Amino acid sequence: MNPDYRHDELAYQMDHSEADLVVSIPERVAALEAVAKERAKPLPVVDTDAWPGSLPRPGPAPRRGAPGLASECGLLYTSGTTGRPKGCVLSNFYFLNAGAWYRGLGGRLAIEPGRERFLNPLPLFHMNCLA
């Protein structure tokens, strides 16, 4: 999630995504705990600097069966410049195709297995870095 989100934005994203757990850097724990207190659905908040011996048990899986190409792999939120951010469900198929696209660029962007490393300076909540 965007680290610049304020309380209302955090609350919206945590509710809309139906999040079951938040793992947070210490600087954001208090803000996320405030959001968790307002939710009807429990939202455990784990501080990365105070890692517990075990994580809270997950609830039931939202879908049955083994994951496949159409299965949800990621949930990316738009910037919300014209309203509330929209949650975009991205499938395994989407991410596999995004990887294949980068792999196939060629030319100056040719990827040589075992020789190349990638540095993507974009934040993790940005689609390009996420993929």
Side-chain angles (χ1 to χ4, degrees):
M1 75 181 65
N2 188 329
D4 292 331
Y5 277 175
R6 295 184 179 142
H7 181 84
D8 289 347
E9 296 161 318
L10 290 170
Y12 168 75
Q13 190 170 354
M14 292 299 94
D15 279 337
H16 186 266
S17 68
E18 300 175 355
D20 291 316
L21 172 72
V22 174
V23 177
S24 175
I25 59 173
E27 296 81 9
R28 298 296 288 171
V29 168
L32 289 157
E33 286 175 340
V35 166
K37 287 178 186 173
E38 296 177 3
R39 281 186 38 153
K41 178 181 178 181
L43 181 64
V45 178
V46 174
D47 183 338
T48 57
D49 277 1
W51 199 257
S54 63
L55 294 173
R57 292 189 58 86
R63 292 173 188 82
R64 295 183 185 265
L69 288 177
S71 299
E72 178 180 338
C73 183
L75 179 59
L76 177 73
Y77 280 83
T78 63
S79 62
T81 53
T82 60
R84 291 246 169 171
K86 294 166 187 64
C88 304
V89 177
L90 304 175
S91 68
N92 285 319
F93 183 77
Y94 175 89
F95 280 104
L96 289 170
N97 277 300
W101 182 81
Y102 283 108
R103 182 191 66 223
L105 286 173
R108 291 184 185 265
L109 297 174
I111 299 170
E112 295 181 43
R115 293 192 58 191
E116 313 299 346
R117 299 206 190 276
F118 286 96
L119 170 64
N120 189 334
L122 296 171
L124 289 174
F125 64 87
H126 187 279
M127 179 273 152
N128 193 273
C129 190
L130 185 65

